[in-house]
């Protein structure tokens, strides 16, 4: 992996000049000029996913220049480095193995092949646990079937499984899956009010097993269980009701998890990339192990596409380049993700962590301060709901906000009537954003009703939201973010920025609630003292 400042490349300078020309061009003009724009600027992935990027302010020259940027910043070499298991997570001195977790044995040649023995045994454990729990073989301490699974975890140990399980609601079995992530006690109470302890199994998901929120929730849930089930043997009670997923096996054992109930998580799998690993156990519990494997296979198919396709027909690469084009040349600040699927409502939140925790950095791989844009702000909500709130700004606001629209041709819950309406709204919005109502000089006369258009979007149209297609879609975003990190010369696989807040929270918790506080800045003192007034 080479550490190249992208702004010092020849292609960056060319793109700067090209941008000056493209500023005078509109999406409307581009479509008028090129009647084959959809064919030229879309990629069909296995007839399962269409990626249409034609409604962007780009032409063939833009893509050509951006591809040159990818070449000049050594993207191809970086892709090989990731797939070959090089230690590209430099600041943590680790390889990055979420691709290996997809069980991609055949196509790539990871240096450390023994890694697959670990992955094999983890997958076997996921299968074993899923089959036992779903079938009712796994019994609670009081010999009841398990009805409720409660995942206790936060960040990557929460968002991936939550997003996938909700997106694949149509594939769910009869287990109820709950997610306890926040240290706000309200969430814990809300869940415990809905479940019976003797029918509930808790999965403590934490790579480090040191995360304050997760350990606090785990300990409170343990106390709740102990209070609510009459028992004679504490170890037996805990081993019938708690599973842990972690890279820190000793800590889990010390906190009372039975050794047999621990599913290891490899240190080389980052939290936000971990849904394919043991962290995916709740997914496998919710949709069954066979469907979980289909999810992994779908991701593996996207890995193959990413690894083998030329840069100019490579979906994650094109998507990364378009994002860099807007954030660094058009100076857009945000990107909206708008799934036209209610079940995919957690996707924007999931992509927020994936993108912003990976690329929200301002020091480059050479250790220098960065003076260009790295991660865009990711936000969004489902269509059509968003149309009745923030879409006003997309259509008539002062900012350009590139959007990703995601929809499926075949719904998982069928009503032709509802689905025709949902999809016509999705397509209509991409058209209205791109072209506005100023076409052909027959435009709207009332100035307040004018929509100028030229608002860019990608459309990602799935045949259906299946485990396989969802796996491909998520892998496609993972690789997009990886390519952005490579081009922007940052380390995408660490997250040191989140540590400072954790440290200060501990100082406030451990010292400042006890004494009269004067020694912070006046705002921090004021807030602490207000809290103490009522505590
Ligand atoms: O604080 C950020 C973070 O480290 C994320 O990267 C991670 O997904 C989350 O916390 C949870 O960490 P863990 O799985 O170790 O509890």
């Amino acid at each position: 992996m080479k550490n190249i400042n992208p702004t010092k490349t020849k292609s960056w300078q060319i793109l700067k000049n090209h941008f000056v020309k493209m500023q005078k061009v509109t999406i409307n003009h581009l479509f008028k000029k090129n009647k084959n724009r959809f064919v030229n600027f879309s990629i069909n992935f296995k007839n399962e996913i269409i990626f249409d990027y034609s409604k962007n302010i780009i032409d063939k020259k833009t893509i050509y220049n951006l591809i040159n940027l990818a070449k000049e910043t050594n993207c191809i070499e970086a892709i090989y480095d990731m797939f070959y298991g090089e230690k590209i997570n430099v600041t943590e001195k680790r390889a990055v193995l979420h691709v290996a977790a997809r069980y991609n044995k055949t196509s790539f040649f990871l240096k450390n092949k023994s890694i697959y023995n670990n992955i094999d045994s983890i997958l076997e454990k996921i299968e074993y646990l899923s089959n036992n729990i779903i079938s009712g073989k796994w019994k609670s301490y009081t010999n009841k079937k398990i009805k409720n699974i409660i995942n206790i975890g936060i960040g990557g140990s929460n968002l991936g499984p939550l997003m996938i399980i909700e997106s694949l609601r149509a594939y769910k079995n009869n287990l109820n899956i709950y997610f306890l992530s926040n240290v706000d006690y309200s969430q814990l109470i809300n869940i415990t009010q809905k479940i019976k302890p003797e029918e509930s199994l808790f999965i403590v998901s934490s790579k480090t097993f040191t995360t304050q929120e997760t350990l606090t929730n785990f300990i409170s849930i343990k106390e709740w269980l102990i209070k609510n089930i009459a028992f004679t043997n504490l170890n037996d009670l805990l081993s019938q009701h708690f599973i842990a997923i972690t890279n820190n096996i000793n800590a889990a054992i010390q906190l009372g998890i039975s050794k047999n109930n621990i599913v290891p998580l490899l240190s080389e799998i980052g939290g936000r990339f971990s849904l394919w690993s043991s962290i995916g156990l709740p997914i496998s519990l919710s949709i069954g192990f066979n469907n979980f494997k289909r999810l992994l296979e779908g991701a593996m198919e996207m890995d193959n596409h990413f690894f083998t396709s030329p840069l100019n027909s490579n979906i994650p690469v094109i998507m990364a380049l378009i994002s860099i084009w807007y954030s660094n040349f058009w100076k857009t600040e945000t990107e909206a993700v708008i799934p036209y699927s209610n079940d995919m409502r957690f996707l924007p939140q999931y992509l927020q962590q994936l993108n912003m925790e990976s690329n929200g950095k301002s020091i480059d791989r050479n250790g220098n301060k960065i003076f260009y844009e790295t991660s865009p702000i990711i936000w969004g909500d489902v269509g059509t709901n968003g149309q009745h709130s923030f879409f006003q700004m997309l259509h008539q606001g002062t900012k350009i906000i590139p959007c990703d629209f995601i929809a499926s041709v075949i719904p998982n819950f069928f009503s032709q009537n509802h689905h025709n309406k949902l999809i016509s709204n999705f397509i209509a919005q991409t058209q209205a954003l791109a072209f506005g109502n100023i076409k052909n000089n027959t435009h709207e006369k009332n100035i307040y009703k004018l929509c100028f258009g030229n608002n860019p979007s990608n459309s990602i149209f799935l045949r259906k939201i299946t485990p396989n297609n969802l796996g491909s879609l998520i892998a496609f975003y993972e690789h997009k973010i990886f390519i952005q990190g490579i081009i922007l010369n940052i380390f995408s696989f660490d997250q040191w920025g989140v540590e400072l807040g954790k440290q200060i929270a501990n100082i406030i918790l451990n010292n400042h609630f006890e004494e009269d506080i004067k020694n912070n800045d006046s705002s921090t003192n004021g807030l602490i003292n207000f809290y103490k007034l009522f505590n």
Side-chain angles (χ1 to χ4, degrees):
M1 203 164 67
K2 291 213 176 87
N3 304 337
I4 297 164
N5 178 340
T7 63
K8 300 278 184 265
T9 59
K10 216 169 109 197
S11 18
W12 193 277
Q13 294 314 313
I14 295 173
L15 278 159
K16 264 173 123 178
N17 296 333
H18 176 71
F19 166 70
V20 175
K21 282 190 209 140
M22 291 305 284
Q23 264 187 315
K24 298 179 195 119
V25 170
T26 65
I27 299 175
N28 199 3
H29 289 136
L30 292 166
F31 271 86
K32 277 194 183 137
K33 230 170 78 184
N34 177 357
K35 297 288 172 210
N36 288 326
R37 210 170 146 81
F38 175 74
V39 175
N40 295 153
F41 295 92
S42 65
I43 301 172
N44 182 330
F45 179 71
K46 304 188 311 167
N47 255 348
E48 289 288 329
I49 303 177
I50 292 274
F51 170 55
D52 171 18
Y53 59 104
S54 60
K55 290 192 185 101
N56 279 294
I57 317 169
I58 54 166
D59 61 12
K60 285 185 180 167
K61 206 69 209 244
T62 322
I63 294 295
Y64 175 80
N65 293 334
L66 287 166
I67 297 280
N68 282 341
L69 176 66
K71 286 183 184 159
E72 258 192 279
T73 49
N74 271 54
C75 278
I76 297 173
E77 186 191 274
I79 296 172
Y80 274 76
D81 284 347
M82 179 164 76
F83 281 101
Y84 288 0
E86 297 293 340
K87 293 192 174 168
I88 60 169
N89 179 358
V90 172
T91 64
E92 295 179 338
K93 301 189 182 66
R94 286 177 191 151
V96 167
L97 295 185
H98 52 280
V99 169
R102 263 87 98 148
Y103 210 64
N104 202 334
K105 268 187 173 174
T106 45
S107 315
F108 314 118
F109 318 96
L110 273 163
K111 276 192 180 157
N112 180 0
K113 289 215 171 113
S114 67
I115 205 79
Y116 286 116
N117 297 336
N118 293 331
I119 290 169
D120 270 336
S121 75
I122 290 168
L123 278 173
E124 271 166 27
K125 195 137 189 180
I126 296 177
E127 182 173 22
Y128 171 80
L129 288 170
S130 305
N131 291 345
N132 270 5
I133 296 164
I134 295 167
S135 67
K137 257 197 211 157
W138 180 299
K139 292 281 189 288
S140 74
Y141 183 77
T142 52
N143 212 28
K144 297 244 162 60
K145 265 190 179 183
I146 297 298
K147 285 193 185 158
N148 308 306
I149 304 291
I150 300 89
N151 187 80
I152 307 177
I154 197 164
S157 303
N158 166 60
L159 287 166
L162 170 65
M163 178 275 294
I164 298 283
I165 287 171
E166 286 302 314
S167 299
L168 296 176
R169 216 165 58 78
Y171 293 78
K172 259 177 79 59
N173 54 32
N174 51 358
L175 287 172
N176 304 311
I177 317 271
Y178 297 90
F179 286 88
L180 177 53
S181 53
N182 204 328
V183 78
D184 184 345
Y185 195 54
S186 161
Q187 196 184 19
L188 187 149
I189 288 295
N190 188 25
I191 293 172
T192 51
Q193 277 169 351
K194 292 179 188 148
I195 58 173
K196 289 189 181 147
E198 61 274 17
E199 296 171 345
S200 302
L201 177 66
F202 299 88
I203 301 177
V204 189
S205 262
S206 176
K207 181 173 173 181
T208 55
F209 231 78
T210 57
T211 304
Q212 185 195 53
E213 295 90 330
T214 302
L215 295 190
T216 307
N217 280 326
F218 167 41
I219 289 161
S220 298
I221 282 288
K222 209 157 66 167
E223 286 166 4
W224 175 79
L225 199 78
I226 289 171
K227 228 195 254 166
N228 288 290
I229 295 186
F231 65 92
T232 48
N233 184 324
L234 179 64
N235 284 343
D236 286 352
L237 174 71
L238 297 182
S239 71
Q240 294 311 111
H241 289 270
F242 285 97
I243 289 175
I245 298 165
T246 188
N247 182 245
N248 188 354
I249 293 174
N250 288 340
I253 293 173
Q254 266 167 28
L255 288 170
I257 306 277
S258 140
K259 203 174 171 189
N260 289 336
N261 288 2
I262 298 176
V263 197
L265 172 61
L266 301 181
S267 61
E268 295 91 346
I269 294 181
R272 53 192 174 275
F273 297 88
S274 65
L275 70 90
W276 325 99
S277 68
S278 44
I279 294 287
L281 175 63
I283 303 174
S284 178
L285 287 170
S286 176
I287 62 176
F289 184 72
N290 285 341
N291 280 324
F292 179 63
K293 278 210 86 176
R294 287 194 190 109
L295 181 83
L296 304 192
E297 279 157 19
M300 185 173 80
E301 284 159 16
M302 183 52 76
D303 296 338
N304 290 342
H305 164 87
F306 178 56
F307 191 70
T308 57
S309 304
L311 297 181
N312 62 4
S313 54
N314 192 314
I315 303 177
V317 171
I318 297 286
M319 196 145 175
L321 291 171
I322 291 174
S323 176
I324 290 174
W325 169 239
Y326 289 124
S327 58
N328 275 287
F329 297 91
W330 292 82
K331 305 287 178 206
T332 59
E333 287 174 341
T334 81
E335 280 174 21
V337 178
I338 307 164
Y340 275 64
S341 154
N342 214 56
D343 293 341
M344 290 179 90
R345 69 194 172 282
F346 289 106
L347 184 68
Q349 223 177 309
Y350 168 81
L351 291 177
Q352 258 170 4
Q353 189 202 9
L354 195 64
N355 209 321
M356 292 159 81
E357 198 170 53
S358 299
N359 289 344
K361 314 275 166 73
S362 56
I363 299 293
D364 73 12
R365 294 201 295 266
N366 299 309
N368 297 324
K369 179 96 183 80
I370 288 174
F371 294 99
Y372 46 87
E373 295 303 322
T374 55
S375 174
I377 299 162
I378 304 294
W379 62 284
D381 194 4
V382 290
T384 60
N385 294 11
Q387 291 176 206
H388 300 273
S389 63
F390 58 83
F391 269 57
Q392 163 62 33
M393 180 180 162
L394 300 184
H395 288 289
Q396 287 189 317
T398 52
K399 294 186 189 308
I400 296 183
I401 300 174
C403 300
D404 284 353
F405 285 84
I406 300 160
S408 72
V409 174
I410 302 170
N412 277 333
F413 295 95
F414 187 75
S415 155
Q416 199 68 59
N417 173 30
H418 282 253
H419 205 61
N420 283 349
K421 286 174 185 163
L422 181 72
I423 298 307
S424 57
N425 272 284
F426 141 56
I427 296 172
Q429 288 298 331
T430 68
Q431 189 183 41
L433 284 168
F435 303 105
N437 54 9
I438 55 165
K439 264 188 191 166
N440 305 328
N441 296 333
T442 56
H443 63 71
E444 178 60 53
K445 299 285 183 300
N446 180 340
I447 192 166
Y448 295 104
K449 291 187 178 175
L450 270 184
C451 292
F452 293 97
N454 214 29
N455 295 297
S457 67
N458 296 312
S459 296
I460 304 165
F461 212 0
L462 282 69
R463 183 185 60 80
K464 197 171 180 213
I465 303 168
T466 59
N468 197 284
N469 284 345
L470 189 60
S472 301
L473 178 75
I474 301 307
F476 142 33
Y477 274 105
E478 285 179 343
H479 296 321
K480 169 200 173 188
I481 289 160
F482 167 64
I483 288 294
Q484 283 177 292
I486 293 301
I487 295 176
L488 298 169
N489 197 24
I490 50 181
F491 290 121
S492 297
F493 295 103
D494 60 25
Q495 57 286 317
W496 299 107
V498 299
E499 295 305 320
L500 178 63
K502 291 184 193 173
Q503 285 160 18
I504 299 178
N506 276 331
I507 294 171
I508 292 176
L509 178 70
N510 296 330
N511 307 325
H512 292 3
F513 288 161
E514 301 302 321
E515 22 180 288
D516 188 22
I517 294 306
K518 295 196 186 72
N519 51 0
N520 285 295
D521 61 274
S522 62
S523 161
T524 307
N525 285 342
L527 295 171
I528 293 173
N529 287 328
F530 185 71
Y531 184 74
K532 283 167 58 186
L533 271 184
F534 306 98
N535 275 289

